[in-house]
Amino acid sequence: MRKERVRLVNNFKEEDGPIIYWMSRDQRIHDNWALMFAQEKAIKRRQPLIILFCLQQKFLNATQRIYNFMLDGLKKVERSLNKLNIPFIILKGAPEKIILDFIESFKISNIIIDFSPLRIKREWIKRIHDQIQIPIFEVDTHNIIPCWEVSNKKEYAAYTIRSKIQKKLNQYLDQFPDVKKHPYGWNESYEKIDWEKLKKYLEVSNNDVHDLRYNPGETEGSSILKQFLNEKLKLYNQNRNDPNLDGTSNLSPYLHFGHISAQRVILEARKIMNISNLKGGFYDEIIVRRELSDNFCYYEPNYDNVNGIHDWAIETLNFHRKDKREYIYSLEEFEKAKTHDKLWNAAQMQMVKTGKMHGYLRMYWCKKILEWTETPEIAMKMAIFLNNKYELDGRDPNGYVGIAWSIGGVHDRAWNERKVFGKIRYMSYNGMKRKFNITQYIEKYSI
Ligand code: FAD
Ligand code: FO1
């Protein structure tokens, strides 16, 4: 595998002993560079390979049904790993505590982690880094081109990062080797995972009155990919912005939880549709926009608040801070879809009922929160709260950037000035009406 996908986080000498891959963002076995790297190292050193997952009692507002999706996906990971002679262990609690104990109790020689730009993960790694004396290797197995390889700075917009991606894309679209049945067993006894007990360990709100429409796991992710490639890819551009059609891939929950690799998606898609140019269409979204989101969250510490938006945007929002808001809604009114706008309410209910709001409506949904709250700060907080609580693909760099784009014009340009929004791009009910049959959508999702 390409060495640029891996970076050494500290500089301790490698001793002998079992090797762990601390799985977190990329919860899959196949097409997982972090797992590959860990297994290669373990085989070379004739050592057992162990995969750890540190379960948190709560995580960025995720609810019971979102955790159920993730845990059911991990259950499938456990089943497949058992067949590969690779132990899978779930530890509960703060990673810096439980991982340290594990490393010491079992004389672990190396730890491999998967990359995420989010603050929560970087804090975990920082706390681990300060305490352990074994090599920590970080592998970006979420992006096709590793985040640190695409760019060494915060990119201004899609067009600035697109040219950098274009240059390197081909060399990073390499084939994945298969995971091997591991030749070196681990002779320690460890507790079998009690999945029902784990669900009781969580401290999450379970007021989800609706079940999700998506089944978790690698196999499900691959079948959704196959269906998309065979039936929808060619019509993506014309159908993607009509919320009444199921014209998009529905891959986001599987990409978010790492059940499927974006690189696998592209390796398969380009057999059907070559990647002539990246601008516009499916490749732009899944390659450029996704990498741009990781880039923003990685290089912008304030990716989830108003201090992270451009100066022109904060100036214009400040200039219109005192503008009269025609409507003001509380978080509860938003959450219960109790605004005057039936289209907005239907979008909120699609997210609550199915766990996935259509992408075209997410822009409108978020911009209206800016329009109907007292300040941009409150708007951003509410949008992040709702997005992270209900979206199956939430708690993701794509979400933070989608919200920063909608409210703060991140990666967008200035538009003609108007009240409340200033020069932030505006979206209107009538504008949506011209784009698709909103009556049909409202009927489908209203309470
Ligand atoms: P498709 O159109 O089939 O796209 C394929 C993949 O490309 C997606 O799964 C996603 O990984 C990526 N992608 C598509 N659009 C974008 C985009 N605008 N930015 C970054 N990546 C993109 N996406 C999330 O994954 N999680 C979120 O929490 C999230 N919240 C959003 C909030 C707002 C306010 C906005 C405007 C956008 C948000 N998005 C989020 C981006 C986008 O709406 C979703 O990725 C998309 O709707 C997922 O459905 P799909 O997989 O069917 O999309
Ligand atoms: N990752 C973990 O390592 N432990 C968790 O308990 C955990 C919970 C979780 C809940 C919802 C969700 O959307 C993701 C969750 N993740 C969890 C995965 C998360 O994406 C990764 O931890 C990333 O590395 C964070 O940036």
Side-chain angles (χ1 to χ4, degrees):
M1 69 183 262
R2 298 191 62 93
K3 61 179 182 4
E4 300 87 346
R5 294 189 193 280
V6 189
R7 60 183 184 178
L8 184 59
V9 176
N10 56 12
N11 50 8
F12 284 101
K13 219 165 58 49
E14 298 199 34
E15 310 289 342
D16 266 349
I19 286 167
I20 45 178
Y21 162 33
W22 167 21
M23 178 185 275
S24 173
R25 192 181 192 196
D26 292 277
Q27 300 169 20
R28 66 177 178 278
I29 294 170
H30 302 98
D31 306 341
N32 184 330
W33 291 116
L35 204 164
M36 299 296 162
F37 179 74
Q39 183 167 55
E40 256 171 47
K41 190 172 274 293
I43 289 177
K44 210 161 84 192
R45 306 179 71 88
R46 301 169 181 276
Q47 293 292 338
L49 169 63
I50 300 141
I51 297 189
L52 284 192
F53 185 86
C54 295
L55 183 64
Q56 306 310 301
Q57 280 189 297
K58 46 181 182 273
F59 188 90
L60 302 178
N61 267 340
T63 57
Q64 183 72 53
R65 68 177 183 172
I66 287 174
Y67 261 97
N68 289 347
F69 182 87
M70 184 181 81
L71 290 173
D72 291 349
L74 288 172
K75 213 183 281 182
K76 296 175 184 175
V77 164
E78 179 197 36
R79 254 206 305 278
S80 311
L81 284 172
N82 287 345
K83 293 180 202 143
L84 293 166
N85 195 23
I86 302 174
F88 180 61
I89 297 176
I90 293 193
L91 301 173
K92 294 182 293 205
E96 67 277 11
K97 172 92 188 60
I98 51 183
I99 289 209
L100 188 62
D101 293 350
F102 192 89
I103 287 173
E104 280 168 2
S105 335
F106 298 108
K107 306 263 167 296
I108 302 300
S109 63
N110 286 266
I111 178 168
I112 286 87
I113 56 178
D114 48 38
F115 166 78
S116 165
L118 296 190
R119 187 178 307 118
I120 186 164
K121 178 71 172 292
R122 297 168 80 173
E123 274 164 12
W124 290 346
I125 297 170
K126 192 176 163 335
R127 286 184 224 135
I128 299 261
H129 175 278
D130 298 344
Q131 300 194 40
I132 63 175
Q133 268 83 40
I134 60 170
I136 306 172
F137 293 93
E138 185 176 36
V139 183
D140 183 349
T141 188
H142 207 76
N143 293 301
I144 299 168
I145 309 169
C147 185
W148 52 76
E149 276 300 304
V150 175
S151 166
N152 58 8
K153 66 179 178 59
K154 180 168 78 169
E155 291 294 328
Y156 189 76
Y159 72 87
T160 63
I161 203 171
R162 189 177 294 116
S163 50
K164 297 183 176 176
I165 289 173
Q166 192 89 46
K167 280 197 202 96
K168 297 193 168 179
L169 184 63
N170 265 336
Q171 56 187 293
Y172 280 92
L173 279 172
D174 43 355
Q175 293 300 332
F176 288 102
D178 283 335
V179 194
K180 300 176 185 63
K181 188 167 167 64
H182 201 66
Y184 305 101
W186 192 41
N187 49 19
E188 296 287 346
S189 58
Y190 56 92
E191 194 190 330
K192 193 142 174 39
I193 299 172
D194 177 340
W195 293 97
E196 284 321 305
K197 212 167 113 203
L198 280 182
K199 288 191 180 172
K200 295 200 182 66
Y201 163 71
L202 301 175
E203 274 171 19
V204 287
S205 69
N206 56 356
N207 62 346
D208 299 317
V209 288
H210 311 276
D211 283 332
L212 294 168
R213 305 276 161 88
Y214 304 89
N215 294 314
E218 292 189 54
T219 316
E220 288 71 12
S222 311
S223 57
I224 287 196
L225 171 61
K226 224 179 252 109
Q227 186 215 4
F228 171 66
L229 296 181
N230 297 337
E231 297 161 27
K232 304 200 273 186
L233 175 60
K234 291 233 164 79
L235 299 169
Y236 179 81
N237 283 357
Q238 79 191 54
N239 294 341
R240 60 185 287 204
N241 285 337
D242 184 339
N244 293 315
L245 304 175
D246 182 22
T248 65
S249 70
N250 291 321
L251 285 171
S252 61
Y254 303 92
L255 290 163
H256 167 70
F257 282 101
H259 294 167
I260 191 162
S261 143
Q263 184 168 338
R264 170 59 61 198
V265 174
I266 305 306
L267 287 170
E268 297 309 317
R270 71 174 181 180
K271 293 175 188 168
I272 297 173
M273 186 172 81
N274 67 3
I275 314 173
S276 47
N277 75 332
L278 284 177
K279 187 153 175 36
F282 181 68
Y283 292 132
D284 207 8
E285 299 295 350
I286 190 167
I287 301 172
V288 180
R289 289 278 164 193
R290 245 171 32 89
E291 292 258 3
L292 184 61
S293 299
D294 266 34
N295 169 275
F296 184 74
C297 294
Y298 187 59
Y299 292 112
E300 176 45 70
N302 293 301
Y303 60 76
D304 57 353
N305 64 75
V306 173
N307 300 316
I309 70 177
H310 296 306
D311 294 347
W312 69 263
I314 195 66
E315 258 157 52
T316 197
L317 286 169
N318 283 339
F319 187 77
H320 291 272
R321 196 173 278 277
K322 296 261 174 292
D323 290 5
K324 184 171 168 1
R325 271 68 173 160
E326 215 177 318
Y327 299 92
I328 295 271
Y329 293 112
S330 67
L331 178 62
E332 201 193 342
E333 286 167 319
F334 281 125
E335 190 162 9
K336 294 203 172 7
K338 293 258 183 286
T339 75
H340 68 286
D341 180 331
K342 289 197 177 64
L343 176 61
W344 192 94
N345 296 341
Q348 174 68 13
M349 287 320 294
Q350 181 186 25
M351 177 172 70
V352 170
K353 286 180 180 170
T354 71
K356 184 173 182 286
M357 188 189 299
H358 188 278
Y360 192 62
L361 276 154
R362 296 197 198 195
M363 300 182 278
Y364 179 78
W365 171 87
C366 194
K367 286 176 177 291
K368 291 304 166 192
I369 295 177
L370 169 62
E371 192 170 351
W372 302 330
T373 45
E374 290 91 337
T375 70
E377 289 79 5
I378 293 173
M380 212 156 186
K381 274 203 185 75
M382 287 191 185
I384 289 173
F385 174 84
L386 293 170
N387 194 75
N388 280 358
K389 181 171 179 182
Y390 291 104
E391 290 286 13
L392 188 49
D393 58 27
R395 304 153 305 281
D396 190 283
N398 295 342
Y400 292 111
V401 171
I403 290 165
W405 177 91
S406 303
I407 294 175
V410 164
H411 303 145
D412 201 1
R413 63 176 175 81
W415 292 74
N416 29 14
E417 195 154 3
R418 56 174 301 124
K419 68 181 180 53
V420 179
F421 282 75
K423 296 173 192 157
I424 300 291
R425 181 197 300 248
Y426 181 69
M427 286 177 87
S428 70
Y429 181 89
N430 290 331
M432 298 298 271
K433 228 161 119 178
R434 283 194 293 273
K435 290 279 185 347
F436 65 94
N437 178 338
I438 59 172
T439 315
Q440 184 186 341
Y441 179 81
I442 290 168
E443 268 156 25
K444 185 167 178 188
Y445 290 110
S446 43
I447 306 175

